[in-house]
Amino acid sequence: MQLDDLYRRVIMDHYKNPRNRGKFEDDGVTIELNNPTCGDKISLQLQVQDGKVANARFVGEGCSISLSSASMMTDAVKGKTLEEAVAMAEQFSGMMKGEPAEFEYEDIEALSGVNKFPARIKCAMLAWNALRKGVEQADRG
Ligand code: ZN
């Protein structure tokens, strides 16, 4: 898999130094998802207060794409409203279809090259799918 050098460096940085890794002890919404094609697993915790994502953390195992995506997503989504979080997930899924996308949290754009590798799109989407489910649960609850 060949990605642009700069992008690869951003991805590897998040993989090696994941942001928001580890669970918090207080309650929150917990979503567990896996991607059997690659063996990626993620458990995402969200704390939602006043319609905003107050905090997001994850634990997981898997490839550099899935874990770097989780690291970026948990950082990007903090402080966002649930609507903004869903919009970001939509935008990410568009980027995986090759649509141009810009993120306030620019590191996410490093994953844009993944759309050329269909087998890896599920890896990149895993954390964002967990986010969507988490938002749905928080909304209901
Ligand atoms: Zn993977």
Side-chain angles (χ1 to χ4, degrees):
M1 165 159 175
Q2 294 261 311
L3 286 175
D4 176 276
D5 245 19
L6 170 69
Y7 280 179
R8 203 174 57 219
R9 250 178 286 149
V10 174
I11 292 168
M12 288 317 285
D13 177 52
H14 277 272
Y15 178 55
K16 289 180 178 158
N17 311 294
R19 285 39 153 196
N20 314 304
R21 189 155 199 188
K23 293 201 170 183
F24 27 69
E25 317 212 327
D26 312 347
D27 285 341
V29 176
T30 303
I31 303 296
E32 304 204 3
L33 281 185
N34 58 62
N35 168 26
T37 347
C38 178
D40 308 313
K41 290 180 188 163
I42 182 181
S43 172
L44 171 70
Q45 272 189 314
L46 291 178
Q47 283 178 333
V48 175
Q49 274 165 8
D50 304 326
K52 285 189 177 176
V53 179
N55 210 346
R57 295 184 71 79
F58 77 101
V59 289
E61 52 185 88
C63 67
S64 56
I65 299 295
S66 67
L67 294 178
S68 63
S69 186
S71 169
M72 294 172 191
M73 182 279 285
T74 47
D75 238 9
V77 83
K78 273 189 222 174
K80 301 291 176 197
T81 65
L82 296 184
E83 290 77 18
E84 286 167 340
V86 170
M88 221 188 294
E90 293 288 336
Q91 211 190 354
F92 189 87
S93 124
M95 185 170 83
M96 289 299 107
K97 293 176 190 134
E99 293 163 15
E102 271 184 35
F103 292 87
E104 187 185 318
Y105 190 85
E106 290 179 359
D107 287 9
I108 296 172
E109 293 164 27
L111 289 168
S112 60
V114 173
N115 72 41
K116 297 186 204 80
F117 306 89
R120 309 308 294 277
I121 291 176
K122 281 186 185 168
C123 304
M125 285 298 299
L126 189 65
W128 296 89
N129 290 338
L131 172 64
R132 276 198 231 220
K133 283 191 191 274
V135 167
E136 278 171 30
Q137 275 194 25
D139 229 7
R140 257 185 265 134

